[in-house]
Amino acid sequence: MIPYQIIEKKSRGDVLNDGEIRDFINGYTDGSIPDYQMSALLMAIFIRGMNTDETLSLTRCMLESGERMDFGALPGFIADKHSTGGVGDKISILLAPIMAVLGVYIPMISGRGLGHSGGTLDKLESIPGFNVNLSLEEWRKLVMEEHVGLIGQTGTICPADKKIYSLRDVTATVRSIPLISASIMSKKIAEGIQGLVLDVKTGNGAFMQSLDDSRTLAKSLVHIGNGYGIKTTALITDMNQPLGKAIGNWFEIRESVLGLQGDGPEDVMEITYALGAEILQMANPDLSREEAIKRQKKTISDGSAFEKLLKIVALQGGDPKVLENMETYPKTRYRESIKANQSGYLTHIDTMAMGFAGIQLGAGRRVISDRIDYSSGMYIHKRLGEKVDAGAEVLTLYSNDENALKEVKKQLSTSLSFTDSPAAIPPLIVEKIQ
Ligand code: URA
């Protein structure tokens, strides 16, 4: 196999066969194909797309680049949730402990920040000491004993996705239905789960901005999941504004903790419960949606979901004390506010610009080797549709890089639009695909 010929074939828009995809993925995973050739193929796929068979082959090759878990006969349903990526999306951090308390086994493999969107692994690593690189045995033990273990792609689980994911993050090749499908589904199938709920984002802060593209992505993911015998559903949810108020790794952990303590933003809780209800109803088809939501709310009101998070953090090497006393977390040196320059109804937020601004503030990577500043990020204080008075604080930015902070302040000042009368606001949960 000559990598050049495969890149050329895809760049012409021709269909790659299973063997070609396999050779390329295996070659990249074992190091014989360099980053620059993989980047070229990713860009060709990004521009030319892949058909269903190619997408299935890519998923299978990425899955088979590593091991596949088999939890055998556990006395409960084994499931997971995954998001296609957005801004301020911290749902996994709330949902995993809630589901674990309710008896579901959650062997969660997550990703790092990708493009403008944050990643669960980076968020978890903002908790001092938290180890997302457990051995497979440690992870399996945690899932079996505590019902939940939170790790990333490893040298043994989806190593191909681990390498390709980092490359996509910095080569503008994220927004592609086959690449997203194979990346997400290879990880999820490798987990050995029985049920999967997908949160497919749509809107100006999502990789798929139009509802049509989001639907196509949701159908592609659901098709692959069901094809592997996993009960799979997808909720298409709105990403025309950040989810919750916090953007940035530690800020999002903090907001998740508040959610588990009963003080979370409404939208974050609504999506958490909706996705959780999907999982609980897959586990028990006789359960009503109302009852599924009630059971989740109880894990918040009785403190059991927060207790579970503290336990998992401690068992994965993290410092639970910082979650119990969040004000002790290191603060950034600099902070800036963005205020509304006119009175009116907030009708547009450039959500993607906020994601990229987060990276500039230090919360994400510009190149693979960048180190994240976990304390940096921002808070958005207003929601779409809200009436805002001129001079009211809409965004607060935090960074240890004073120049970046000034630059971001300038950029984001034009990221919000106001109108004199209220405009229609998109629903939070748009539709379900199954
Ligand atoms: N999440 C993933 O794991 N992969 C993607 O490509 C996008 C979101």
Side-chain angles (χ1 to χ4, degrees):
M1 187 264 314
I2 301 189
Y4 181 98
Q5 289 176 307
I6 295 179
I7 299 167
E8 231 225 335
K9 188 171 175 187
K10 185 38 74 187
S11 66
R12 278 196 311 266
D14 291 347
V15 173
L16 299 182
N17 65 42
D18 189 66
E20 290 165 333
I21 295 174
R22 182 170 303 280
D23 284 349
F24 213 104
I25 298 299
N26 290 347
Y28 183 59
T29 311
D30 70 22
S32 53
I33 292 183
D35 281 354
Y36 55 83
Q37 285 185 315
M38 189 71 214
S39 303
L41 182 67
L42 289 171
M43 189 52 85
I45 295 172
F46 177 83
I47 292 168
R48 293 297 196 165
M50 278 183 144
N51 68 21
T52 309
D53 285 343
E54 290 175 290
T55 307
L56 278 172
S57 289
L58 183 62
T59 310
R60 198 175 328 113
C61 295
M62 302 213 342
L63 170 67
E64 289 172 4
S65 70
E67 287 179 58
R68 206 167 147 180
M69 291 306 283
D70 179 0
F71 284 98
L74 285 179
F77 194 63
I78 311 169
D80 198 6
K81 164 265 168 189
H82 201 88
S83 158
T84 56
V87 179
D89 184 357
K90 65 269 305 167
I91 303 297
S92 295
I93 297 150
L94 291 106
L95 193 62
I98 295 175
M99 289 296 108
V101 167
L102 293 175
V104 182
Y105 290 92
I106 306 279
M108 190 177 273
I109 302 177
S110 304
R112 299 195 176 278
L114 192 60
H116 70 288
S117 90
T120 302
L121 292 186
D122 296 328
K123 294 170 200 182
L124 289 169
E125 282 183 345
S126 73
I127 303 171
F130 196 99
N131 180 13
V132 297
N133 300 309
L134 300 180
S135 73
L136 234 49
E137 258 332 292
E138 289 167 324
W139 180 51
R140 165 194 280 281
K141 189 163 176 282
L142 211 53
V143 172
M144 291 173 74
E145 290 176 1
E146 294 300 328
H147 283 244
V148 57
L150 307 164
I151 59 163
Q153 314 95 311
T154 67
T156 49
I157 292 231
C158 290
D161 182 56
K162 185 178 166 99
K163 284 188 84 178
I164 294 171
Y165 193 97
S166 322
L167 207 52
R168 286 170 62 217
D169 181 33
V170 290
T171 54
T173 50
V174 179
R175 216 189 284 192
S176 150
I177 289 178
L179 295 179
I180 297 178
S181 300
S183 164
I184 293 184
M185 295 313 291
S186 58
K187 289 193 283 280
K188 300 295 109 174
I189 299 161
E191 292 174 346
I193 51 178
Q194 300 161 319
L196 173 64
V197 62
L198 294 154
D199 185 358
V200 177
K201 301 290 182 196
T202 194
N204 69 24
F207 292 120
M208 295 298 133
Q209 306 206 337
S210 75
L211 184 53
D212 269 356
D213 284 348
S214 304
R215 244 184 227 134
T216 308
L217 174 59
K219 285 181 184 160
S220 165
L221 296 165
V222 168
H223 175 74
I224 299 171
N226 287 329
Y228 272 89
I230 299 170
K231 285 190 196 177
T232 310
T233 62
L235 297 186
I236 298 184
T237 70
D238 185 62
M239 188 35 73
N240 283 298
Q241 59 186 326
L243 196 50
K245 296 180 171 163
I247 304 165
N249 300 289
W250 166 251
F251 290 159
E252 294 192 43
I253 291 288
R254 184 176 179 280
E255 190 164 81
S256 306
V257 166
L258 292 176
L260 292 174
Q261 291 173 334
D263 203 11
E266 247 174 66
D267 58 337
V268 169
M269 300 318 295
E270 185 180 337
I271 301 237
T272 302
Y273 295 142
L275 294 168
E278 290 293 319
I279 294 180
L280 294 178
Q281 287 185 296
M282 280 176 197
N284 176 3
D286 294 333
L287 193 70
S288 70
R289 190 170 186 278
E290 291 66 38
E291 179 60 23
I293 290 178
K294 198 167 132 200
R295 287 187 190 175
Q296 294 179 76
K297 286 186 172 169
K298 179 149 186 300
T299 70
I300 305 286
S301 57
D302 67 12
S304 54
F306 182 47
E307 278 304 312
K308 178 58 91 178
L309 179 71
L310 291 177
K311 188 153 187 206
I312 288 300
V313 166
L315 288 169
Q316 292 202 215
D319 176 9
K321 285 197 290 300
V322 79
L323 301 186
E324 291 171 297
N325 195 358
M326 296 196 286
E327 298 324 308
T328 59
Y329 201 81
K331 311 239 175 336
T332 57
R333 281 198 297 281
Y334 309 105
R335 152 195 175 139
E336 280 280 358
S337 301
I338 295 184
K339 300 191 171 146
N341 52 7
Q342 63 176 103
S343 295
Y345 294 89
L346 183 56
T347 45
H348 176 83
I349 297 174
D350 187 343
T351 315
M352 188 164 289
M354 268 170 210
F356 282 120
I359 297 176
Q360 272 178 274
L361 294 173
R365 298 176 187 80
R366 287 173 235 231
V367 291
I368 292 179
S369 54
D370 268 357
R371 288 178 71 89
I372 288 183
D373 173 3
Y374 294 115
S375 311
S376 64
M378 70 188 90
Y379 279 94
I380 178 157
H381 307 291
K382 305 289 176 192
R383 306 285 307 157
L384 280 182
E386 210 172 305
K387 174 103 174 53
V388 180
D389 293 326
E393 186 168 9
V394 184
L395 284 162
T396 315
L397 315 174
Y398 298 85
S399 183
N400 284 307
D401 179 339
E402 200 175 9
N403 291 332
L405 193 68
K406 291 210 164 89
E407 184 59 28
V408 165
K409 183 172 177 177
K410 228 185 290 158
Q411 285 165 13
L412 288 189
S413 301
T414 55
S415 66
L416 309 163
S417 313
F418 300 91
T419 52
D420 291 339
S421 46
I425 302 306
L428 189 55
I429 298 175
V430 183
E431 64 186 47
K432 173 169 164 176
I433 303 281
Q434 57 187 351

